[in-house]
Amino acid sequence: MTPKRIVINAVSAKSGGAATYIHNLANSLAERSQEMEFLICVPPRVAQMKIAARNVRLLETDIGHQSARRRFYWDQVVLRRLLKQERADLLLSSSDFGMLFPPCPQMVMIRNPLFFSDYYLRRLLPTKTLRYRLEFRLRRRLIAWTARSSDLVMTASAAMLADVRRFISVPESKAAVNPFGAPLDRFLAPPRLPRDEPQPFQFLYVSEYSDYKNLTALLRAVQVLHERGRRDFRVVSTADPRQFPDVEIHRRQRDLDLVADPRIAPYLRLGAIPYAEIPAAYQESDVFVFPSLAESFGHPLVEAMASGLPVAASDLPIHREICGDAAVYFDPLDPADIADKLTMLWDTPAIRADLARAGRERVVRHFDWNRHVDRQLELLRRLVGAPESAVQAAAADVTLLRGKSRAEGEPR
């Protein structure tokens, strides 16, 4: 049988979770889907990864770094030529934007939460320039057009799908929720042993820097801890206000001032950590804190739970869906509440142990990366004409997992 040809448009996967996702997906596709051939369009940085498989090819393009106008032309014209040249059976647009009139079936993954997040729209978008806000609304309209032109719209969480549906009509027949996951062989380490020598209690926050990642509130919580007389701790974060200096971030100067504040600076260790070293960072920490105001999934939450770290997270529907009872939740706009929850975890080893155990069990049950890939492949097979039994199995699996996430993630 002739292999089905799938083109994956991943030109936006320039960094962070999007780049990690495509890297992991490409290697998994090579191992688990020999009946398909994949051409993945990726930025130069991602194109450097090595794929030892005959059924996966990478096409390098820097279009994701160019202007919105050039990107639109590439998506609608250049990509069309490529699809026809490759005789593609399916286009998978992996990050929000896709073709408005695709020449073959299209599946789009809606992943950027900012276009649909209530927190972002009410509190952060109004701080942006007029040009930014106009472009923002145009981009959201393009996402809506892409969704209408697609045969399947996928999100990584039920909460994200609900947010999308506040702005875009996505009928049940075209919607799928396929939660992401973590490669458990990388993060699922044995329970951590006590350290040989006393060290400061360590809070970890893994994230890129942006205003919606809410580093400001965490820095102010550090100040609250200092003012309450807590001293023997540190905060390690990959979010650093010196990152991405060309990106418009309203809170940057405020965060730079906080980072330099003598009541805060001694407790901080900020800066990028190579992805290969992230598992060790989890193992070296005591609590994972996640103050983000908007997420479509939250990969670090799953990685932290898999690593046996207790989690403190913003009280958002998406975080409750992912973490359930394996986390404590705080008001992300209240530094004192963040400090309260961190202090409670710091002072209560029994609660930390219970959360760590619950988190590891939850990840194994719901967020194994291989199960995500299997579901993704079944959705692709459905769109290119897989047997009906496989389609029904995939749909049942996705629906069942989505239902569990809603039930277990309900606020208590």
Side-chain angles (χ1 to χ4, degrees):
M1 186 176 71
T2 303
K4 298 294 185 179
R5 296 183 176 181
I6 314 295
V7 174
I8 301 178
N9 179 5
V11 298
S12 296
K14 299 184 288 290
S15 61
T20 300
Y21 176 81
I22 288 298
H23 180 276
N24 291 339
L25 182 65
N27 282 286
S28 298
L29 291 175
E31 298 170 357
R32 308 169 82 86
S33 56
Q34 295 300 315
E35 81 281 13
M36 297 183 187
E37 294 179 349
F38 296 90
L39 175 63
I40 310 178
C41 306
V42 294
R45 174 183 169 186
V46 181
Q48 297 173 7
M49 63 183 177
K50 297 180 180 179
I51 306 294
R54 298 171 63 181
N55 67 326
V56 177
R57 291 178 292 145
L58 302 180
L59 176 63
E60 178 180 335
T61 173
D62 67 349
I63 191 64
H65 296 275
Q66 298 186 26
S67 68
R69 181 178 300 177
R70 290 190 175 186
R71 167 68 192 275
F72 183 79
Y73 178 83
W74 190 93
D75 280 344
Q76 308 308 321
V77 179
V78 177
L79 182 56
R80 176 180 295 276
R81 294 175 189 156
L82 178 64
L83 293 170
K84 291 183 175 180
Q85 175 184 321
E86 292 291 325
R87 297 180 182 177
D89 295 294
L90 176 69
L91 169 63
L92 169 57
S93 295
S94 69
S95 186
D96 303 298
F97 303 104
M99 296 194 69
L100 304 185
F101 302 99
C104 63
Q106 176 175 238
M107 173 180 171
V108 63
M109 298 168 58
I110 299 184
R111 301 184 55 178
N112 190 331
L114 302 188
F115 294 105
F116 313 102
S117 161
D118 184 60
Y119 265 121
Y120 188 83
L121 296 175
R122 286 191 298 108
R123 297 183 176 275
L124 297 179
L125 185 61
T127 68
K128 304 294 186 179
T129 63
L130 176 60
R131 178 177 178 178
Y132 181 99
R133 284 179 277 143
L134 291 174
E135 290 182 353
F136 179 92
R137 290 181 171 85
L138 176 59
R139 288 172 181 268
R140 189 168 64 195
R141 183 164 295 183
L142 284 173
I143 296 175
W145 289 340
T146 297
R148 283 195 286 268
S149 301
S150 298
D151 298 83
L152 190 67
V153 175
M154 196 206 93
T155 63
S157 64
M160 179 66 176
L161 180 59
D163 280 347
V164 168
R165 280 177 159 160
R166 293 193 299 125
F167 298 90
I168 301 174
S169 176
V170 182
E172 198 68 31
S173 60
K174 288 178 56 173
V177 175
N178 183 10
F180 296 145
L184 299 189
D185 58 341
R186 188 177 305 165
F187 291 99
L188 198 61
R192 298 179 309 134
L193 299 175
R195 297 174 183 143
D196 295 333
E197 299 180 3
Q199 295 184 18
F201 195 87
Q202 183 162 303
F203 301 101
L204 176 67
Y205 180 28
V206 174
S207 172
E208 288 191 327
Y209 179 70
S210 187
D211 46 9
Y212 75 95
K213 293 298 187 177
N214 202 25
L215 180 65
T216 308
L218 180 58
L219 295 174
R220 287 178 168 166
V222 170
Q223 179 181 335
V224 172
L225 290 173
H226 169 84
E227 291 171 350
R228 291 177 178 176
R230 308 301 294 237
R231 296 290 187 270
D232 192 24
F233 74 97
R234 65 181 167 217
V235 172
V236 175
S237 178
T238 56
D240 186 336
R242 292 162 291 193
Q243 293 173 332
F244 316 121
D246 298 330
V247 177
E248 178 189 335
I249 298 178
H250 177 71
R251 296 182 174 185
R252 187 188 301 277
Q253 189 55 54
R254 187 185 317 170
D255 289 343
L256 288 170
D257 292 342
L258 289 170
V259 166
D261 190 311
R263 296 167 297 178
I264 299 174
Y267 306 104
L268 301 180
R269 194 171 75 194
L270 306 181
I273 299 175
Y275 183 68
E277 299 175 16
I278 288 292
Y282 288 118
Q283 290 299 313
E284 293 167 358
S285 301
D286 297 288
V287 168
F288 185 73
V289 56
F290 203 63
S292 179
L293 295 173
E295 295 291 333
S296 62
F297 180 75
H299 286 90
L301 290 171
V302 175
E303 294 171 354
M305 289 191 295
S307 301
L309 269 186
V311 172
S314 337
D315 195 357
L316 305 180
I318 176 60
H319 294 165
R320 286 189 176 270
E321 179 179 341
I322 301 304
C323 298
D325 292 332
V328 296
Y329 300 96
F330 51 74
D331 179 349
L333 302 178
D334 184 354
D337 189 39
I338 299 175
D340 288 343
K341 297 304 191 299
L342 297 184
T343 300
M344 183 267 290
L345 291 176
W346 187 352
D347 292 342
T348 320
I351 294 179
R352 296 203 306 271
D354 288 344
L355 292 176
R357 182 168 51 253
R360 289 165 67 90
E361 292 174 354
R362 188 171 181 83
V363 168
V364 171
R365 190 164 64 247
H366 291 314
F367 301 118
D368 184 334
W369 169 257
N370 291 326
R371 292 177 62 190
H372 166 76
V373 175
D374 287 342
R375 290 189 297 266
Q376 196 78 328
L377 286 171
E378 290 302 334
L379 291 172
L380 297 179
R381 292 184 182 114
R382 158 184 159 183
L383 292 173
V384 297
E388 186 66 22
S389 59
V391 173
Q392 292 175 345
D397 189 20
V398 172
T399 301
L400 179 63
L401 202 152
R402 183 175 62 189
K404 285 183 178 178
S405 296
R406 277 199 293 258
E408 294 182 9
E410 289 288 309
R412 290 167 291 171

